């Protein structure tokens, strides 16, 4: 039977990371240039890892399907990045950040990984400040902090509503420096379509040049996947339209276990969908919940404009239900509460699918100039999209697919069960459990790339000193190239009657209905019938125009959607197997009398990992038990 070794160090949790770094093997500086590392993805995790490896002396090749690393989806993150500096002197600490993260993830994360994340977060802020990231500052000159969901302290560092952009520019300039020095080679407009393994370990990748269509192989001593999440399985999500699952799914098919695929997050502050033909959703930063108050009309039949509804006829439901946290309840809690209001027919907007996020009280208390200084670019973005002025009328928001806590299973070293294959950032499952707290995604991406993987990868590489990477002339590479080429040709040859988008949209509708904010046994079983049937039709009736040997966005999209079909089925299977509610995974059969998530800590306190057994074959379910030595298991309460 397959077992999972998380390689968590022994000893007190406060000492694990320090002890592990000392106990790990080292590669001396002169030997580092003998090793080659491939990194897929140039977001915060990938760019920071590539820059770090280049600075350390490794030979690095980094691949992105964008025209520039600056186009990575990390740039879209708005609200901030967490660290326990305690500048506001409100009781924060590394342990409290650790505690809030484990609790926020509804006790479904590995304690050791989460504590390390909290521990290195302070180093991230120092690193980024040194790079010139323009964090907001308070009057005395210290970096400013604001509150975020799931915490009662202010620990989120921010750069107005552009934090992800500014952090990515910092990582990008570090990467660009290494490219200029010749330590890192950048391949843009290149999509990884296959992980290559040899004798059970990662040997390299096969990529397709998205402009010329050329398929080529690249070998290395280690491969790092930093390719983000898979929320676009829902079709409509807050992710950029190019975001996909192909890199981690292809790794899964080559033996890397996929963990907790059903743990997906529905974000509470997205601009509501406005019609059935919409192809993209836009997120409004969670930071807006600091000063915005969320409400719906008390009367379901009240269709008056928001400003015409008096205070005593409004239900500030988060403040009512969760008085301790109010509008800063965690994302999963806030999203379910919003959906309850909508289900009670108290939703607002043309489709009655939203709730109000109102800044009138904050503007009256602080003044418009203060609100503009904090959120001005977000308000401008909202007005451009909706043609409504949020300084005058409340924003309309609704819950929508956003972040994925699942991903490739990794151990404490961030290595998958395939030796030499690593996954960092949102591509892995390691830190957030069943729900991610706001401002933790940027924290994890930079922690993995700057401060974790540069230490842990040496422990693997040291055993391959003076061992050349597998030649790209080897049959394992040629076989993988043929697989990619045959897959592209097959998609082009179907010549059916339906567009790729029509299949993707239908898959998304199935997923949001049966594996979205709420799941049920009956709904998941229905989805597990519908998805294979739709996938079969896709391979018979999709129409992909263009050719293989040129830029072809439809071909790239079709290959990605084909992988989404397989992932979607596993997500539903994982959700069906997890007979509890926790975080973003809400099974309607498992809820408290008050409608909150009800965990089963006796039978379900584990991470679920899935092992690929071949196309059309049932995957093997492997469980990594979770032990809670430092955070006592308890029913989450934000009241």
């Amino acid at each position: 039977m397959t077992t999972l070794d998380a390689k968590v160090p022994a000893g007190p949790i406060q000492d694990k990371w320090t002890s592990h770094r000392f106990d790990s093997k080292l590669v001396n500086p002169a030997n580092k240039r003998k090793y080659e590392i491939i990194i897929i993805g140039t977001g915060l995790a990938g760019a920071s890892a590539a820059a770090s490896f280049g600075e350390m002396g490794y030979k690095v090749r980094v691949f992105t399907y964008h025209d520039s690393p600056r186009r990575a989806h990390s740039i879209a993150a708005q609200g901030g990045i967490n660290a326990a500096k305690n500048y506001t002197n409100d009781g924060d600490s590394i342990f409290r950040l650790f505690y809030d993260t484990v609790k926020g993830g509804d006790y479904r994360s590995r304690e050791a990984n989460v504590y390390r994340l909290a521990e290195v977060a302070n180093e991230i802020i120092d690193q980024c400040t040194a790079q010139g990231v323009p964090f907001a500052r308070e009057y005395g000159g210290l970096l400013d902090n604001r509150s975020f969901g799931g915490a009662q302290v202010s620990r989120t560092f921010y750069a107005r509503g552009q934090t992800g952009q500014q952090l990515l520019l910092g990582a990008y300039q570090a990467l660009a420096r290494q490219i200029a020095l010749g330590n890192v080679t950048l391949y843009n407009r290149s999509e990884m379509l296959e992980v290559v393994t040899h004798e059970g370990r990662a040997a390299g990748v096969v990529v397709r040049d998205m402009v010329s269509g050329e398929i080529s192989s690249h070998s290395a001593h280690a491969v790092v996947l930093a390719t983000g999440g898979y929320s676009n399985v829902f079709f409509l999500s807050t992710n950029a339209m190019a975001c996909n699952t192909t890199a981690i799914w292809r790794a899964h098919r080559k033996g890397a276990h996929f963990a907790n695929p059903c743990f997906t997050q529905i974000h509470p502050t997205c601009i509501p969908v406005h019609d059935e033909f919409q192809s993209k959703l836009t997120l409004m930063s969670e930071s807006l919940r600091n000063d915005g108050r969320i409400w719906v009309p008390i009367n379901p039949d009240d269709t008056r404009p928001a400003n015409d509804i008096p205070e005593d006829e409004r239900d500030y439901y988060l403040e009512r239900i969760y008085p301790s946290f109010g509008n800063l309840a965690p994302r999963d809690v806030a999203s379910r509460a919003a959906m309850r209001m909508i289900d009670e027919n108290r939703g607002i907007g043309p489709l009655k699918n939203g709730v109000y996020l109102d800044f009138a009280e904050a503007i009256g208390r602080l003044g418009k100039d203060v609100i503009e200084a904090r959120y001005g670019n977000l308000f401008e973005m909202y007005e451009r999209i909706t043609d409504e002025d949020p300084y005058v009328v409340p924003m309309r928001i609704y819950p929508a697919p956003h972040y994925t806590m699942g991903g490739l299973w990794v151990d404490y070293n961030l290595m998958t069960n395939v030796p030499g294959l690593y996954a960092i950032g949102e591509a892995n499952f390691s830190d957030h459990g069943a729900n991610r707290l706001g401002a933790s995604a940027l924290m994890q991406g930079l922690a993995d790339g700057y401060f974790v993987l540069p230490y842990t990868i040496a422990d693997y590489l040291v055993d391959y000193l003076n061992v050349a990477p597998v030649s790209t002339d080897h049959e394992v590479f040629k076989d993988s190239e043929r697989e990619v080429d045959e897959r592209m040709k097959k998609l082009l040859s179907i010549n059916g009657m339906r567009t790729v988008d029509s299949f993707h949209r239908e898959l998304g509708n199935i997923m949001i209905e049966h594996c979205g904010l709420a799941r049920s046994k009956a709904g998941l079983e229905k989805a597990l019938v519908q998805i294979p049937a739709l996938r079969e039709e896709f391979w018979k009736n999709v129409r992909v125009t263009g050719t293989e040997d040129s830029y072809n966005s439809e071909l790239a999209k079709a290959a990605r959607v084909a992988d989404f079909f397989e992932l979607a089925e596993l997500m539903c299977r994982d959700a069906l197997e997890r007979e509890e509610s926790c975080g973003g995974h809400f099974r309607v059969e498992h809820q408290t009398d008050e409608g909150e998530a009800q965990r089963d800590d006796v039978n379900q306190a584990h991470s679920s990992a899935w092992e690929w057994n071949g196309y059309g074959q049932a995957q093997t379910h492997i469980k990594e038990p979770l032990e809670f030595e430092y955070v006592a298991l308890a029913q989450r309460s934000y009241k």
Side-chain angles (χ1 to χ4, degrees), residues 220-434:
H221 292 95
V223 175
V224 180
L225 302 183
T227 51
Y230 50 88
S231 265
N232 275 354
V233 70
F234 295 100
F235 185 71
L236 284 179
S237 84
T238 65
N239 285 193
M241 293 178 69
C243 292
N244 63 87
T245 190
T246 289
I248 56 175
W249 190 254
R250 291 285 130 190
H252 176 53
R253 288 174 61 111
K254 283 297 179 73
H257 298 332
F258 207 112
N260 298 338
C262 79
F263 284 172
T264 55
Q265 183 173 83
I266 307 295
H267 197 294
T269 59
C270 181
I271 297 178
V273 64
H274 60 268
D275 64 46
E276 61 180 302
F277 302 107
Q278 192 166 334
S279 58
K280 177 74 181 70
L281 298 177
T282 302
L283 181 71
M284 299 308 298
S285 170
E286 181 173 307
S287 63
L288 295 168
R289 294 201 281 153
N290 275 286
D291 291 303
R293 302 179 70 196
I294 297 172
W295 64 276
V296 293
I298 292 176
N299 182 357
D301 299 321
D302 197 333
T303 58
R304 288 175 291 176
N307 290 341
D308 292 344
I309 300 176
E311 282 288 313
D312 61 356
E313 297 181 38
R314 300 178 178 188
D315 181 7
Y316 294 92
Y317 58 88
L318 289 177
E319 299 172 31
R320 170 175 58 82
I321 302 171
Y322 310 105
S324 293
F325 283 74
N327 297 297
L328 289 175
R331 292 175 178 179
D332 60 319
V333 173
S335 290
R336 283 197 297 274
M339 192 53 65
R340 287 201 295 273
M341 300 301 109
I342 294 168
D343 290 342
E344 292 173 8
N345 200 33
R346 291 201 280 161
I348 55 88
L351 300 181
K352 293 187 70 68
N353 62 344
V355 298
Y356 287 124
L357 179 60
D358 196 334
F359 286 85
E361 187 273 338
I363 292 172
R365 173 170 47 88
L366 301 170
K368 180 181 176 182
D369 56 336
V370 173
I371 298 300
E372 187 173 11
R374 291 178 179 175
Y375 313 111
N377 61 308
L378 298 172
F379 277 46
E380 179 183 353
M381 181 174 72
Y382 181 87
E383 185 173 8
R384 287 186 177 185
I385 292 171
T386 66
D387 199 29
E388 298 174 359
D389 183 355
Y391 293 107
V392 177
V393 298
M395 290 183 180
R396 291 179 290 113
I397 58 172
Y398 97 130
H402 176 56
Y403 190 90
T404 52
M405 286 74 67
L408 293 183
W409 182 91
V410 294
D411 62 19
Y412 190 73
N413 294 322
L414 303 183
M415 187 162 70
T416 70
N417 60 293
V418 176
L421 178 64
Y422 294 81
I424 60 176
E426 194 178 354
N428 73 35
F429 88 113
S430 66
D431 292 351
H432 305 298

Side-chain angles (χ1 to χ4, degrees), residues 457-491:
I457 200 169
D459 198 60
Y460 170 79
L461 292 175
V462 71
D463 292 333
Y464 295 93
L465 181 63
N466 296 321
V467 177
V470 179
S471 170
T472 55
D473 291 329
H474 194 285
E475 195 61 29
V476 291
F477 282 98
K478 298 306 177 185
D479 288 345
S480 294
E481 288 182 15
R482 280 192 292 272
E483 289 175 18
V484 171
D485 187 51
E486 289 170 3
R487 191 158 71 245
M488 298 300 107
K489 284 182 167 58
K490 182 176 180 181
L491 287 166

